[in-house]
């Protein structure tokens, strides 16, 4: 999704002439939508499976986006406009009004998710059943897609297009290790994302390194920590438990053997 | 008034007809088995009746009105492998999803919804597993959770897509008991079924399907050697067919 949004953002910039979150949002939504249509078209009319179709379409869109981005940088005074920061992100390039937009979007999103939590849960778990009991699936799916596109556009400036999808997935993956409830997982994913964001942005200020990669590194570290040390699902605890079980089993076998000998 | 009337349903994928002119009408309180070989369009028929895939032609009436207006009266139990069982939720939550239609948009489940969900879990002997993570349930237990969810929905007509596939004997028995209880309460249940041996024991009516309706009616009169042969294109051997028909 993030990759598919890039050409739309570039075209929106070329048409509008300057940086504007709203215009970028429209551009990203359009090219994201076109990418989705392309993917569905390929899946429906060829023997290519969905994952392969996603790979093909996204890489083409991303390539197109990079071409446009390079062109903008060379021709349109893109350096001044800061559009090249979209590749790797630069939190420092955010202006005061950008921050306001970010805040408003974040609050709107949290409220939307709170209102439709139950519905989002059922359409992600079992869409067919949701449709059967009269949940407006296509409408809610549209709302969900809109939320995702908004996050992509807004996150692009901070993290960059290359790593946006990583920022989407990694905190949620890490959160999955700590809980079995979707409510907690959602909350935790938000907290992990925020933590990585703060740490990454801070480090980037100190070390003069682009923000995006640092944020992702922090998110990945959180994921690795969860993967290894989470209480129930973590790898270490699993290994320790297995070790204890094996010991128990061995001492049991030993006792049986002794019993036989006696 | 019959709870389910299907008229001339025709479905095509890419101009290739997969269901042709399917019509039948089910009286209230009957268990109906939908029988046919792989690729006969059994699941497709269910999905087309539920509007999950577009119908090229035909109508579905539930208690006299088009299905679109009667959605709330129809419960659906999808194939077990149609969802990701690693989804972070527990058995009770899944059953509660059956109540969402009653709860309405953006409202939280009330205490009575939770009570109903618990009762439904109890009916499929899954009460002890209410708080169990769904990924830690066995195949049969997962199937029972799906059934409990359909019960919680409190529909009048049920569509079940292969509920007996890959479950152990205990679960199979539990499902049969549940089907009979639904029937006693005047519900109408359609079941996509594979095991020819059990058709006579489980179902009052059968729909023999192979792209078109081969035969439909009371099991006694319709589930015959000739019809089975016709449905399966002569692939069921004489001996086994004779055995099935009894």
């Amino acid at each position: 999704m993030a990759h598919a949004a890039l050409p739309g953002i570039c075209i929106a910039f070329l048409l509008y002439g300057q940086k504007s979150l709203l215009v970028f949002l429209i551009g990203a939504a359009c090219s994201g939508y076109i990418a989705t249509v392309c993917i569905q078209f390929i899946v429906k009319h060829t023997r290519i499976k969905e994952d392969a179709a996603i790979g093909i379409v996204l890489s083409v869109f991303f390539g197109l986006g990079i071409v446009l981005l390079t062109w903008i940088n060379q021709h349109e005074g893109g350096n001044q406009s800061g559009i090249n920061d979209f590749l790797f992100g630069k939190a420092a390039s955010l202006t005061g009004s950008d921050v306001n937009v970010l805040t408003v979007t974040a609050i709107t999103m949290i409220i939307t998710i709170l209102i439709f939590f139950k519905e989002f849960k059922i359409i992600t778990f079992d869409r067919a059943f949701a449709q059967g009991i009269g949940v407006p699936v296509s409408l809610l799916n549209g709302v969900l897609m809109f939320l995702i596109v908004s996050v992509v556009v807004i996150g692009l400036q901070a993290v960059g297009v290359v790593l946006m999808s990583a920022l989407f997935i990694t905190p949620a993956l890490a959160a999955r290790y700590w809980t079995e409830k979707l409510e907690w997982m959602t909350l935790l994913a938000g907290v992990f994302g925020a933590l990585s964001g703060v740490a990454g942005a801070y480090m980037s200020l100190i070390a003069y390194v682009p923000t995006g990669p640092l944020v992702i590194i922090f998110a990945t570290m959180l994921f690795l920590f969860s993967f290894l040390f989470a209480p129930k699902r973590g790898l270490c605890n699993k290994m320790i438990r297995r070790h204890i079980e094996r010991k128990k089993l061995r001492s049991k076998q030993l006792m049986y053997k002794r019993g036989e000998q006696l | 008034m019959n709870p389910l009337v299907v008229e001339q349903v025709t479905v095509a994928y890419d101009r290739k007809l997969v269901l042709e002119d399917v019509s039948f009408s089910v009286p209230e309180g009957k268990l109906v088995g939908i029988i046919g070989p792989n690729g006969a369009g059994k699941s497709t028929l269910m999905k087309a009746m539920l509007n999950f895939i577009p119908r090229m032609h035909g109508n579905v009436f539930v208690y006299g009105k088009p299905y679109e207006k009667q959605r709330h009266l129809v419960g659906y139990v999808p194939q077990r492998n149609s969802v990701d069982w690693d989804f972070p939720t527990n058995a009770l939550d899944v059953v509660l999803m059956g109540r969402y239609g009653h709860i309405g948009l953006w409202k939280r489940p009330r205490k009575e919804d939770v009570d109903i969900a618990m009762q439904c879990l109890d009916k499929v002997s899954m009460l002890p597993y209410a708080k169990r993570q769904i990924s830690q349930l066995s195949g049969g237990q997962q199937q029972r959770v799906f059934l409990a969810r359909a019960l919680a929905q409190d529909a009048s007509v049920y569509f079940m897509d292969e509920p007996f596939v890959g479950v152990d004997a205990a679960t199979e028995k539990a499902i049969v008991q549940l089907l009979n209880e639904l029937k006693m309460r005047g519900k109408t249940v359609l079941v996509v079924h594979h095991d020819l041996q059990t058709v006579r024991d489980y179902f009052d009516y059968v729909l023999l399907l192979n792209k078109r309706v081969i035969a439909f009616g009371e099991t006694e009169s319709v589930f015959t050697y000739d019809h089975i042969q016709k449905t399966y294109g002569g692939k069921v051997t004489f001996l086994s067919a004779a055995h099935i028909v009894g």
Side-chain angles (χ1 to χ4, degrees):
Chain A
M1 202 64 189
H3 289 59
L6 189 61
I9 290 170
C10 292
I11 291 169
F13 176 79
L14 283 172
L15 293 177
Y16 190 68
Q18 54 181 318
K19 225 169 65 166
S20 152
L21 275 184
L22 186 71
V23 174
F24 286 176
L25 190 69
I26 297 167
C30 290
S31 68
Y33 179 74
I34 295 170
T36 321
V37 171
C38 290
I39 292 166
Q40 278 162 0
F41 183 85
I42 292 175
V43 172
K44 206 174 165 194
H45 294 283
T46 67
R47 298 174 65 99
I48 296 168
K49 295 251 159 50
E50 191 174 16
D51 47 355
I54 290 174
I56 297 165
V57 172
L58 288 195
S59 46
V60 168
F61 270 69
F62 187 56
L64 191 67
I66 298 288
V67 169
L68 285 169
L69 203 61
T70 319
W71 197 82
I72 289 171
N73 269 334
Q74 282 165 356
H75 291 85
E76 305 266 325
N79 280 321
Q80 286 85 37
S81 71
I83 197 168
N84 55 337
D85 291 334
F86 273 40
L87 213 46
F88 290 113
K90 189 174 172 194
S93 71
L94 291 170
T95 63
S97 70
D98 287 342
V99 175
N100 286 339
V101 174
L102 275 174
T103 318
V104 172
T105 322
I107 291 170
T108 322
M109 258 170 225
I110 291 170
I111 292 172
T112 318
I113 290 170
L114 279 177
I115 293 175
F116 293 117
F117 191 82
K118 179 163 74 49
E119 283 73 25
F120 285 152
K121 183 175 177 175
I122 194 171
I123 65 169
T124 35
F125 176 63
D126 193 345
R127 185 166 296 192
F129 184 78
Q131 208 173 343
I133 60 171
V135 175
V137 173
S138 18
L139 178 73
L140 284 164
N141 200 40
V143 173
L144 197 60
M145 277 297 149
F146 177 75
L147 292 186
I148 292 173
V149 172
S150 316
V151 173
V152 167
V153 171
I154 281 160
L156 280 183
Q157 269 193 75
V159 202
V161 69
V162 185
L163 298 166
M164 194 55 223
S165 39
L167 189 58
F168 246 113
I169 296 160
T170 322
L173 274 181
R176 183 69 181 91
Y177 278 89
W178 298 91
T179 173
E180 303 286 359
K181 294 218 98 179
L182 189 65
E183 290 84 349
W184 286 110
M185 185 180 149
T186 313
L187 192 71
L188 257 182
V191 171
F192 285 168
L195 278 177
S196 337
V198 170
Y202 194 70
M203 277 297 287
S204 129
L205 269 182
I206 299 173
Y208 296 104
V209 178
T211 325
L214 282 173
V215 172
I216 300 305
I217 286 173
F218 278 107
T220 310
M221 272 161 39
L222 276 172
F223 166 74
L224 275 179
F225 181 78
S226 310
F227 172 71
L228 291 173
F229 303 114
K232 261 191 185 162
R233 303 184 128 233
L235 195 63
C236 285
N237 277 300
K238 265 189 191 161
M239 277 162 76
I240 291 170
R241 248 178 317 183
R242 207 173 295 159
H243 184 72
I244 293 173
E245 285 302 315
R246 211 173 282 159
K247 255 192 169 169
K248 268 192 204 158
L249 190 69
R250 219 170 272 158
S251 59
K252 241 187 209 165
Q253 284 171 336
L254 216 65
M255 269 168 27
Y256 277 130
K257 263 189 194 159
R258 282 199 191 134
E260 275 167 19
Q261 282 166 0
L262 287 172
Chain B
M1 189 189 303
N2 277 353
L4 182 70
V5 177
V6 175
E7 283 179 359
Q8 299 181 310
V9 165
T10 302
V11 176
Y13 289 133
D14 271 342
R15 275 188 232 143
K16 202 180 144 214
L17 287 181
V18 282
L19 280 178
E20 218 180 317
D21 206 15
V22 173
S23 304
F24 60 95
S25 168
V26 187
E28 192 165 60
K30 299 294 179 199
L31 300 181
V32 183
I34 301 179
I35 321 285
N38 290 333
K42 304 184 294 292
S43 292
T44 306
L45 174 62
M46 262 190 189
K47 287 176 187 152
M49 289 195 288
L50 292 159
N51 275 357
F52 294 165
I53 48 177
R55 302 193 283 263
M56 226 171 88
H57 183 73
N59 297 304
V60 176
F61 295 98
V62 177
Y63 282 100
K65 287 184 195 153
Y67 164 73
E68 291 74 21
K69 290 189 177 153
Q70 306 277 60
R71 266 174 197 275
H72 59 285
L73 294 179
V74 180
Y76 174 52
V77 182
Q79 287 186 16
R80 182 160 43 87
N81 59 15
S82 66
V83 303
D84 173 14
W85 288 96
D86 209 22
F87 195 84
T89 191
N90 61 33
L92 177 62
D93 265 348
V94 174
V95 179
L96 263 178
M97 285 178 189
R99 300 297 302 163
Y100 283 12
H102 299 262
I103 298 167
L105 277 178
W106 68 64
K107 289 193 202 104
R108 309 264 136 201
R110 292 153 300 188
K111 168 115 196 348
E112 57 180 281
D113 293 312
V114 179
D115 289 344
I116 292 172
M118 292 299 259
Q119 284 165 19
C120 294
L121 274 171
D122 196 23
K123 279 199 185 126
V124 294
S125 321
M126 285 290 291
L127 201 53
Y129 301 94
K131 295 282 176 189
R132 182 74 66 92
Q133 179 61 23
I134 54 168
S135 59
Q136 287 163 11
L137 299 172
S138 72
Q141 289 169 335
Q142 290 172 347
Q143 190 65 56
R144 291 189 210 192
V145 169
F146 260 14
L147 285 165
R149 181 175 70 170
L151 283 183
Q153 194 185 339
D154 195 25
S156 305
V157 180
Y158 283 102
F159 293 168
M160 303 186 179
D161 202 347
E162 307 206 13
F164 293 109
V165 163
V167 301
D168 57 12
T171 301
E172 176 143 0
K173 223 173 157 187
I175 297 173
V176 173
Q177 251 172 31
L178 193 81
L179 289 178
N180 283 315
E181 200 200 309
L182 286 171
K183 178 179 148 184
M184 300 287 272
R185 279 160 50 193
K187 314 280 188 187
T188 308
V189 189
L190 275 77
V191 181
V192 171
H193 194 57
H194 257 306
D195 182 13
L196 294 177
Q197 314 268 355
T198 49
V199 170
R200 283 196 167 254
D201 301 330
Y202 292 172
F203 302 110
D204 309 315
Y205 274 63
V206 283
L207 172 69
L208 289 162
L209 190 74
N210 195 346
K211 292 196 175 150
R212 42 177 77 224
V213 177
I214 307 294
F216 174 75
E218 286 182 53
T219 313
E220 287 294 314
S221 51
V222 167
F223 197 61
T224 59
Y225 174 74
D226 282 347
H227 284 151
I228 295 170
Q229 287 297 8
K230 217 173 152 195
T231 311
Y232 286 83
K235 282 180 199 129
V236 180
T237 60
F238 174 76
L239 266 176
S240 60
H243 174 69
I244 292 158
V245 176

